[in-house]
Amino acid sequence: DHHAALAANPCLDELAARAISRPLVTHIYTADPSAHVFEGRLYIYPSHDIDGGAPFDDEGGHFGMQDYHVLRMDAPDADAIDCGLALHVRDVPWADRQMWAPDAATRDGRYYLYFPAKDPGGMFRIGVAIAERPEGPFRAEPEPIPGAYSIDPAVFEDEDGAHYLYFGGIWGGQLQKYRDNRHDLSHEEPVGADPALGPRVARLDAGMTTLAEPTREVVILDEAGHPLRADDHARRFFEGPWVHKHDGRYYLSYSTGNTHLLCYAIGDSPYGPFTYGGVILKPVVGWTTHHSICAFDGQWYLFYHDALHSGGVTHLRSAKCTVLHHESDGRIRTIDPYGG
Ligand code: FUB
């Protein structure tokens, strides 16, 4: 399918000319950018893409990342600085490989990096690592977070100071193997009119390293109030959950994976349910699409990635940033990444 996505974009030079934004950095490949304002500056926590030589497979084995670098920007239009190595898989006692999309949060002056990786048995777990500075270096907890699983952790801090951990991704992200927080290899992605799987959410404990409660499923509804159907691949959740709050409402955004869209849904609680709202970002060059949404100086920004800089190599991506608009009715304006 990644080859199909490339074939649909034969003229990369033309797309590059029309691209609405440039890579934040080009000396390394970065993806899945999770952006936050800490200490008045933008800190971006991306995956650090490398070509580890693993063959392409349906589980995403070619995404063989080994470490994290944090990027810092004084403002969205400023140059991004690579703050260097923040955490390496060799320093995570439980992790074996595939350091996928991370996120970060802060509480009481400490910084927490949340990250998925495969354990030696090939199961994705979600770990946490702690630092005194936003850029690290981070020291990993010896065990993964109990009760968390799959991939793509994202932490939302509500206005009352509570932090919520979201995670999940189907297919290579293994979420379809779980029901009610229990793993069973016989489970698959639901099909047809059955409800689609949602991401998971749980409030984090005040210590930020454990869940305060079992995770629950986040339900995404259609305009008629019904859960999105499993066969609604243009709208159903695939991976990359992110939550932001705008005008008192909660926005869940996510990737639809095999239909290559970033979508959003709106709700009145961090637990949902959320009602599908529309497309944030049309397909980018490369199979994956993954983002974050962050406000800086009263303006909202979308951080996303594409694979243009590598000539379309789907696991060598570059993080980017562009302005995101909420319309007066709360809808998010759709962005064409090559509409410039
Ligand atoms: O970067 C590795 C994986 O690809 C992420 O965890 C997914 O969201 C997708 O972007």
Side-chain angles (χ1 to χ4, degrees):
D1 210 359
H2 45 270
H3 293 303
L6 266 188
N9 293 318
C11 191
L12 294 181
D13 286 346
E14 197 201 320
L15 289 175
R18 298 202 324 246
I20 60 171
S21 44
R22 297 174 179 281
L24 300 184
V25 294
T26 54
H27 67 293
I28 56 173
Y29 289 108
T30 58
D32 313 320
S34 294
H36 295 275
V37 177
F38 294 141
E39 302 178 346
R41 299 180 188 180
L42 278 161
Y43 284 88
I44 298 107
Y45 299 83
S47 301
H48 175 197
D49 281 1
I50 54 167
D51 191 356
F56 284 77
D57 63 44
D58 289 343
E59 306 284 290
H62 45 297
F63 292 94
M65 298 84 101
Q66 298 179 345
D67 63 20
Y68 298 110
H69 285 222
V70 179
L71 307 180
R72 187 183 69 227
M73 299 162 82
D74 288 342
D77 56 356
D79 288 342
I81 309 296
D82 177 358
C83 301
L85 181 65
L87 181 69
H88 195 282
V89 68
R90 68 176 167 247
D91 298 320
V92 183
W94 59 268
D96 185 59
R97 60 189 185 277
Q98 289 179 274
M99 303 281 266
W100 283 15
D103 192 18
T106 185
R107 185 175 179 130
D108 296 335
R110 301 180 99 186
Y111 294 86
Y112 299 86
L113 181 72
Y114 300 86
F115 59 96
K118 278 187 179 166
D119 67 14
M123 296 271 290
F124 269 115
R125 311 274 181 194
I126 293 175
V128 57
I130 306 170
E132 305 304 321
R133 297 279 317 144
E135 68 273 22
F138 288 89
R139 187 173 23 83
E141 291 286 279
E143 300 287 342
I145 300 174
Y149 46 90
S150 189
I151 61 167
D152 291 359
V155 176
F156 166 70
E157 180 180 356
D158 209 346
E159 282 153 321
D160 63 1
H163 289 84
Y164 297 87
L165 176 69
Y166 299 81
F167 62 80
I170 58 173
W171 297 17
Q174 303 176 345
L175 181 67
Q176 72 279 9
K177 299 296 181 190
Y178 294 81
R179 296 290 185 281
D180 299 325
N181 291 327
R182 277 193 292 276
H183 182 259
D184 186 333
L185 270 180
S186 69
H187 292 316
E188 297 295 348
E189 181 187 9
V191 296
D194 284 348
L197 290 177
R200 310 292 304 188
V201 60
R203 197 166 54 77
L204 280 164
D205 185 78
M208 300 293 277
T209 59
T210 56
L211 304 180
E213 56 192 4
T215 78
R216 45 183 112 170
E217 184 168 15
V218 178
V219 176
I220 306 170
L221 305 171
D222 66 16
E223 53 291 332
H226 302 125
L228 290 183
R229 290 169 51 125
D231 62 4
D232 190 352
H233 284 201
R235 299 195 295 178
R236 65 95 169 80
F237 169 79
F238 186 98
E239 63 187 2
W242 184 263
V243 169
H244 73 281
K245 196 173 187 181
H246 170 70
D247 269 354
R249 309 198 74 193
Y250 298 86
Y251 287 70
L252 168 71
S253 44
Y254 55 93
S255 164
T256 63
N258 56 319
T259 52
H260 315 290
L261 299 169
L262 291 179
C263 292
Y264 72 97
I266 303 178
D268 295 317
S269 158
Y271 294 108
F274 295 88
T275 300
Y276 179 84
V279 172
I280 297 174
L281 186 71
K282 295 181 180 176
V284 294
V285 172
W287 198 93
T288 69
T289 186
H290 187 128
H291 72 301
S292 65
I293 293 170
C294 180
F296 185 89
D297 260 351
Q299 173 66 58
W300 288 98
Y301 294 90
L302 176 73
F303 289 79
Y304 66 105
H305 69 229
D306 72 12
L308 255 184
H309 186 65
S310 67
V313 180
T314 207
H315 59 293
L316 295 178
R317 303 160 291 181
S318 300
K320 298 181 160 189
C321 172
T322 192
V323 169
L324 176 132
H325 294 281
H326 296 85
E327 307 290 5
S328 53
D329 63 1
R331 299 185 76 84
I332 293 178
R333 193 181 299 171
T334 303
I335 298 166
D336 179 344
Y338 312 106

Short mmCIF file of all heavy atoms in Angstrom, two decimals, residues 32 47 63 65 100-101 151-152 239-240 288 290 305 317, ligand 1:
data_model
loop_
_atom_site.label_atom_id
_atom_site.label_comp_id
_atom_site.label_asym_id
_atom_site.label_seq_id
_atom_site.Cartn_x
_atom_site.Cartn_y
_atom_site.Cartn_z
N ASP A 32 5.82 12.20 13.16
CA ASP A 32 4.89 12.10 14.29
C ASP A 32 5.13 13.21 15.31
O ASP A 32 5.22 12.94 16.52
CB ASP A 32 5.05 10.73 15.00
CG ASP A 32 5.09 9.55 14.03
OD1 ASP A 32 4.33 9.56 13.06
OD2 ASP A 32 5.89 8.62 14.27
N SER A 47 9.18 11.21 16.33
CA SER A 47 9.94 10.00 16.04
C SER A 47 11.20 10.41 15.28
O SER A 47 11.21 11.40 14.55
CB SER A 47 9.13 9.04 15.17
OG SER A 47 7.92 8.69 15.81
N PHE A 63 9.74 0.52 10.06
CA PHE A 63 9.88 1.69 10.94
C PHE A 63 10.71 1.25 12.15
O PHE A 63 10.17 0.88 13.18
CB PHE A 63 8.50 2.20 11.36
CG PHE A 63 7.71 2.80 10.22
CD1 PHE A 63 6.81 2.04 9.49
CD2 PHE A 63 7.87 4.14 9.88
CE1 PHE A 63 6.10 2.58 8.44
CE2 PHE A 63 7.15 4.70 8.83
CZ PHE A 63 6.26 3.92 8.11
N MET A 65 12.93 2.65 14.27
CA MET A 65 13.59 3.74 14.99
C MET A 65 14.19 3.27 16.32
O MET A 65 13.64 2.42 17.00
CB MET A 65 12.58 4.87 15.26
CG MET A 65 12.03 5.48 13.97
SD MET A 65 10.64 4.52 13.32
CE MET A 65 9.30 5.52 13.87
N TRP A 100 8.46 4.17 18.44
CA TRP A 100 7.51 4.88 17.58
C TRP A 100 7.04 6.19 18.21
O TRP A 100 7.67 6.69 19.14
CB TRP A 100 6.36 3.94 17.23
CG TRP A 100 6.74 2.92 16.16
CD1 TRP A 100 8.00 2.61 15.73
CD2 TRP A 100 5.84 2.11 15.39
NE1 TRP A 100 7.94 1.64 14.75
CE2 TRP A 100 6.63 1.31 14.52
CE3 TRP A 100 4.45 1.96 15.36
CZ2 TRP A 100 6.07 0.40 13.61
CZ3 TRP A 100 3.89 1.04 14.46
CH2 TRP A 100 4.69 0.28 13.60
N ALA A 101 5.92 6.71 17.74
CA ALA A 101 5.53 8.10 18.03
C ALA A 101 5.42 8.41 19.52
O ALA A 101 4.60 7.81 20.22
CB ALA A 101 4.20 8.37 17.35
N ILE A 151 0.20 1.60 20.68
CA ILE A 151 1.18 2.62 20.27
C ILE A 151 0.59 4.02 20.42
O ILE A 151 -0.55 4.21 20.83
CB ILE A 151 1.60 2.42 18.79
CG1 ILE A 151 0.39 2.55 17.84
CG2 ILE A 151 2.32 1.09 18.61
CD1 ILE A 151 0.75 2.68 16.37
N ASP A 152 1.41 5.00 20.05
CA ASP A 152 1.01 6.39 19.84
C ASP A 152 0.41 7.05 21.09
O ASP A 152 -0.71 7.58 21.06
CB ASP A 152 0.04 6.50 18.65
CG ASP A 152 0.73 6.21 17.32
OD1 ASP A 152 1.95 5.95 17.34
OD2 ASP A 152 0.06 6.22 16.28
N GLU A 239 -4.89 5.43 14.00
CA GLU A 239 -3.77 5.62 14.92
C GLU A 239 -3.57 7.11 15.16
O GLU A 239 -4.28 7.95 14.60
CB GLU A 239 -2.48 4.99 14.35
CG GLU A 239 -1.99 5.62 13.06
CD GLU A 239 -0.82 4.87 12.42
OE1 GLU A 239 -0.38 3.82 12.94
OE2 GLU A 239 -0.35 5.34 11.37
N GLY A 240 -2.61 7.44 16.02
CA GLY A 240 -2.22 8.83 16.21
C GLY A 240 -3.27 9.71 16.89
O GLY A 240 -3.52 10.82 16.42
N THR A 288 2.04 7.05 5.92
CA THR A 288 1.53 7.49 7.22
C THR A 288 1.24 8.98 7.24
O THR A 288 1.82 9.77 6.48
CB THR A 288 2.54 7.20 8.35
OG1 THR A 288 3.66 8.07 8.20
CG2 THR A 288 2.98 5.75 8.36
N HIS A 290 0.46 11.82 10.60
CA HIS A 290 0.44 11.84 12.07
C HIS A 290 0.81 13.25 12.50
O HIS A 290 1.69 13.87 11.94
CB HIS A 290 1.46 10.81 12.59
CG HIS A 290 1.42 10.61 14.06
ND1 HIS A 290 1.32 9.36 14.64
CD2 HIS A 290 1.49 11.48 15.10
CE1 HIS A 290 1.32 9.47 15.95
NE2 HIS A 290 1.42 10.76 16.26
N HIS A 305 3.73 15.57 9.23
CA HIS A 305 4.94 15.14 8.52
C HIS A 305 4.57 14.72 7.09
O HIS A 305 3.40 14.45 6.80
CB HIS A 305 5.66 14.00 9.25
CG HIS A 305 4.94 12.69 9.26
ND1 HIS A 305 4.74 11.93 10.40
CD2 HIS A 305 4.37 11.96 8.27
CE1 HIS A 305 4.11 10.82 10.11
NE2 HIS A 305 3.85 10.82 8.81
N ARG A 317 10.66 10.38 6.98
CA ARG A 317 9.71 11.48 6.94
C ARG A 317 10.31 12.75 7.57
O ARG A 317 11.32 12.68 8.26
CB ARG A 317 8.43 11.07 7.69
CG ARG A 317 7.81 9.81 7.12
CD ARG A 317 6.88 9.10 8.08
NE ARG A 317 7.59 8.51 9.20
CZ ARG A 317 7.00 7.82 10.19
NH1 ARG A 317 5.69 7.64 10.17
NH2 ARG A 317 7.72 7.32 11.18
O1 FUB B 1 6.26 6.42 13.20
C1 FUB B 1 5.85 5.09 13.41
C2 FUB B 1 4.38 4.97 13.30
O2 FUB B 1 3.95 5.41 12.03
C3 FUB B 1 3.62 5.83 14.28
O3 FUB B 1 3.61 5.33 15.58
C4 FUB B 1 2.32 5.87 13.59
O4 FUB B 1 1.42 6.80 14.07
C5 FUB B 1 2.75 6.15 12.16
O5 FUB B 1 3.02 7.50 11.96
#
